[in-house]
Amino acid sequence: MHGSVHQRTTARRLTLTALSALFVVALTGCANPRKDAGLPPVAPEDTLKQPSIYPALQGTVESFATLASDTPLLVKGYGLVVNLPKTGSGEMPSPVRTMLIKQLQQDGFGYRSSGLHRLNPEALLRSRQVAAVYVQGVIPPLAPRGTTFDLQVAALPDTQTTNLTNGLLWTTPLRVHVQPGDSTAAIAAGRGPLFCNPFIKQKNAVDSQGLVRSGRVLAGGITTRTLPVVLELYTPSYRIAGLIQRVINERFGDNPQYASAQTDNLITLRVPPKYDHDPKRFVNLCMHLYLQQDVPGFDELQCVRLLKALHDPAAPHKEISRCLVALGRPIIPLLRKHYASANGAVAFYSARAGAMLHDSEATVALQQFARLDGNKYQMAAIHAISRDRDTMQGTVLLSGLLKNKSLAVRVAAYHALLRSHSIAVDSRAVGEKFLVDLVHTHAPQVIYVTQVGLPRIALIGHNFDLAPGTLYISPHDTITVNYPPPSPNHPLTGKDAKFPVKLYYRSRLGHQAVKLRCTRHVAGLLVELGNAPNPRSPSFDPYQPYIGASYQRVVQMLHSMCRQGMINAHFVLQRPPAMANALVLMADKQRPQGGAPRVSKLRPANPY
């Protein structure tokens, strides 16, 4: 027995010694300990779990640990789409019906205490004005509570639902695993109007008979809890876990702690409030901190080494730039010597690091990249300039880029102004459905429409008045926009001169006719079309006339009016980024067997 205890003690000592040796080797950059150092061999299970890493990045947190929660999270649920003009169906599997009835009862339907006693859940589900749907969404990595994301919505298979266009998805709990009678806890909720791209014909989503059985709810999902941020060590070690905890807390503060080593291979991170809007930025900074950063003179020596590595065409330049930021503001004098380097990569990535360290000279250098058309770093420079809150210098630069001859640069400048919360963008909310952004610039007019994230219609230009003589009639004769041509014999005066555009709307559900007037400016037209009274408002008037047009209907109208010359502007529909398409396909692959038709990749008209 004593021999066994002695053997276990010896084994533990050898393992600790081996881990210490591995730590020293990793920090110093040596490949293997010297044979004559008298160190015991390293056990195979303690090595070679981490991927290969560029030499200049050795010794960072990233070389010892990986982010355990770096993949998107697919959530699902069963819900109801309402406000359909008898194109829905009361058909659904019995377990789904039971689940939906329970959800409606939890929301107060059928109970006098909630004021919804007249809405019987069973009767509601039998109506053709509703449709049972399967909802999926992908929560981005590191998402804090309140993060919004897009949703995919599809009618249930083998039901008589024919068209979900302009429907409204009622509040739907979203879970990682959803199955009637066997579901996980809800971590998000979905709600909002459906957007069925009116300019494309999706395979199986729009068939030869015009059936539209799927759509999207832009920014319709919202997380109800914060996802954990966890680092996992490649090789378990209490020593290295403790060092990582100490380095992160020394950088960001340890009261309260932002890093906490839970075990010998797991470290939980808490995102500081200043990074709530961009938790990925905080995690990137943590991953590129050096564990040796408290050694005197290390920052300067490592900065020189990183700047030298930027000359290597095969080097991970973005990663190196993040390491420079992690070294902190004391290296700014060294960075400034490279802002004007003849090597484009060295100049850009050193300026990018300097700008993230709030060096004004670095911002000036980035602006040169942003202004220079045709250079490979132009788009990256525009994005980097918008990483922080609005500055007058940034607004002036980006506003100038709104006049660029390249449509892609103009759109990138608009997005950059949004990210920096610039005063150059005048945003107006329309009926809690979408935003209208007025971006004034003396350049050809562009109407830019988003189909990813929060629905927005950007009017980029200076003259968005309707052309006199405009007469638009929606395909189903439900919305009419009439701006009569001026008559010399009967000039417009008073209210007719201020609100010369006449709007006529007939509801397809209740056949209610509404007549309104508005200004000839496109923004005024959009507000009048989309606005709807808020029943929760103290000034709510149940008799106030309104149209309450959906985002999809407004977008379709703008496209038609631009094409017919009623609005002198170029219509551009945002192309979803490659990642959004990948997430759509990821959700599509996990659709239930025999589920609703798959949605093909979206490729909108007029992509920039």
Side-chain angles (χ1 to χ4, degrees):
M1 179 179 293
H2 293 291
S4 176
V5 172
H6 176 72
Q7 289 175 357
R8 289 199 300 269
T9 304
T10 303
R12 290 182 58 190
R13 288 175 179 172
L14 288 176
T15 302
L16 290 174
T17 306
L19 288 174
S20 301
L22 177 61
F23 173 63
V24 172
V25 169
L27 291 185
T28 57
C30 297
N32 291 298
R34 292 176 54 190
K35 293 182 179 180
D36 58 355
L39 297 175
V42 178
E45 61 269 20
D46 290 334
T47 62
L48 302 180
K49 286 189 178 182
Q50 63 266 45
S52 59
I53 190 167
Y54 193 77
L57 306 182
Q58 288 285 353
T60 59
V61 172
E62 185 180 35
S63 62
F64 294 97
T66 185
L67 183 62
S69 51
D70 63 343
T71 56
L73 185 62
L74 179 63
V75 290
K76 318 158 196 175
Y78 289 95
L80 283 177
V81 170
V82 300
N83 293 350
L84 299 175
K86 296 186 178 180
T87 59
S89 169
E91 294 179 307
M92 65 194 73
S94 179
V96 174
R97 183 182 299 274
T98 301
M99 175 184 288
L100 292 178
I101 289 176
K102 183 178 179 180
Q103 289 179 190
L104 291 172
Q105 290 174 340
Q106 289 175 347
D107 291 337
F109 285 82
Y111 292 96
R112 186 175 298 276
S113 59
S114 63
L116 301 175
H117 58 283
R118 295 183 180 180
L119 297 176
N120 180 272
E122 289 84 354
L124 182 66
L125 295 183
R126 290 194 295 268
S127 171
R128 290 182 58 197
Q129 294 183 8
V130 305
V133 293
Y134 185 67
V135 185
Q136 295 184 105
V138 179
I139 301 177
L142 313 177
R145 181 179 180 181
T147 299
T148 59
F149 54 97
D150 294 347
L151 299 175
Q152 293 288 126
V153 178
L156 296 185
D158 304 321
T159 62
Q160 300 301 307
T161 298
T162 59
N163 200 326
L164 297 176
T165 303
N166 295 314
L168 172 68
L169 175 68
W170 266 354
T171 302
T172 303
L174 300 174
R175 302 171 167 88
V176 174
H177 176 67
V178 56
Q179 189 68 28
D182 181 21
S183 300
T184 55
I187 61 173
R191 181 184 174 87
L194 264 69
F195 180 77
C196 306
N197 193 327
F199 311 118
I200 63 173
K201 198 166 187 177
Q202 303 171 14
K203 289 183 180 179
N204 300 324
V206 181
D207 66 9
S208 58
Q209 298 179 352
L211 303 185
V212 182
R213 290 173 51 86
S214 64
R216 304 168 67 210
V217 182
L218 306 184
I222 183 170
T223 57
T224 54
R225 62 180 66 182
T226 298
L227 299 183
V229 183
V230 181
L231 302 183
E232 183 177 4
L233 270 63
Y234 294 114
T235 301
S237 168
Y238 284 110
R239 176 178 172 80
I240 296 179
L243 281 171
I244 293 175
Q245 172 184 286
R246 190 193 67 176
V247 167
I248 294 175
N249 287 330
E250 284 180 351
R251 181 62 177 267
F252 298 101
D254 56 1
N255 188 20
Q257 288 191 339
Y258 293 111
S260 178
Q262 302 296 323
T263 65
D264 61 346
N265 72 325
L266 294 179
I267 302 166
T268 58
L269 300 183
R270 192 175 65 86
V271 180
K274 66 177 293 187
Y275 292 98
D276 278 346
H277 69 289
D278 191 1
K280 187 176 180 180
R281 187 173 180 179
F282 164 72
V283 173
N284 280 335
L285 189 55
C286 290
M287 296 298 286
H288 293 85
L289 290 170
Y290 285 91
L291 301 191
Q292 259 189 331
Q293 226 163 318
D294 57 348
V295 176
F298 173 81
D299 292 350
E300 291 75 11
L301 291 174
Q302 189 63 25
C303 177
V304 172
R305 186 185 181 197
L306 291 170
L307 290 170
K308 184 178 179 180
L310 285 176
H311 288 82
D312 180 4
H317 296 108
K318 185 179 289 188
E319 298 287 310
I320 292 173
S321 181
R322 290 170 178 165
C323 286
L324 290 170
V325 175
L327 292 176
R329 289 182 57 82
I331 68 167
I332 287 179
L334 294 174
L335 292 177
R336 286 176 176 173
K337 297 177 181 179
H338 296 79
Y339 294 165
S341 172
N343 185 306
V346 176
F348 173 74
Y349 285 102
S350 59
R352 179 179 179 272
M356 295 184 71
L357 293 171
H358 308 293
D359 179 22
S360 58
E361 292 187 21
T363 302
V364 173
L366 283 180
Q367 290 177 355
Q368 298 301 321
F369 281 100
R371 290 192 183 98
L372 185 59
D373 290 337
N375 82 87
K376 62 183 292 187
Y377 301 109
Q378 184 177 29
M379 291 298 187
I382 293 173
H383 187 273
I385 290 171
S386 66
R387 291 296 297 266
D388 293 315
R389 299 288 294 189
D390 175 43
T391 64
M392 187 56 65
Q393 194 177 29
T395 291
V396 170
L397 167 72
L398 297 172
S399 297
L401 293 177
L402 292 172
K403 306 175 186 178
N404 196 281
K405 60 183 180 180
S406 168
L407 184 59
V409 172
R410 297 183 68 188
V411 170
Y414 158 69
H415 280 293
L417 288 169
L418 279 181
R419 281 192 299 271
S420 61
H421 304 274
S422 172
I423 59 174
V425 180
D426 180 12
S427 297
R428 304 178 184 180
V430 179
E432 298 184 0
K433 300 175 184 176
F434 58 91
L435 293 171
V436 175
D437 294 331
L438 301 179
V439 190
H440 184 79
T441 180
H442 288 283
Q445 285 79 246
V446 170
I447 294 181
Y448 176 72
V449 174
T450 68
Q451 60 169 341
V452 173
L454 194 64
R456 289 180 177 270
I457 299 174
L459 308 180
I460 306 174
H462 66 286
N463 181 17
F464 282 95
D465 287 348
L466 293 176
T470 291
L471 178 61
Y472 168 80
I473 302 176
S474 67
H476 301 290
D477 297 333
T478 55
I479 295 180
T480 300
V481 180
N482 183 21
Y483 178 24
S487 172
N489 299 326
H490 300 88
L492 299 177
T493 59
K495 185 177 181 180
D496 290 339
K498 188 174 182 180
F499 303 102
V501 181
K502 302 175 183 178
L503 305 178
Y504 177 79
Y505 170 69
R506 180 179 292 277
S507 170
R508 295 178 64 188
L509 291 174
H511 304 289
Q512 176 186 7
V514 176
K515 295 181 180 180
L516 299 173
R517 304 179 74 103
C518 68
T519 66
R520 60 179 178 268
H521 196 278
V522 172
L525 170 66
L526 299 181
V527 170
E528 202 63 46
L529 282 173
N531 264 340
N534 184 357
R536 297 184 296 272
S537 172
S539 59
F540 172 67
D541 180 5
Y543 301 102
Q544 176 185 349
Y546 68 95
I547 294 176
S550 67
Y551 180 64
Q552 174 176 337
R553 182 166 290 178
V554 169
V555 168
Q556 195 168 3
M557 182 196 73
L558 287 174
H559 176 262
S560 179
M561 295 178 79
C562 288
R563 186 180 57 192
Q564 298 178 33
M566 302 176 189
I567 302 175
N568 182 25
H570 180 50
F571 182 89
V572 180
L573 186 65
Q574 177 190 24
R575 172 185 291 183
M579 179 57 68
N581 281 331
L583 298 183
V584 168
L585 294 178
M586 171 184 170
D588 195 40
K589 289 179 180 179
Q590 300 194 31
R591 197 183 301 280
Q593 291 293 327
R598 292 189 174 187
V599 180
S600 64
K601 285 188 178 182
L602 304 183
R603 189 176 182 85
N606 298 322
Y608 63 89

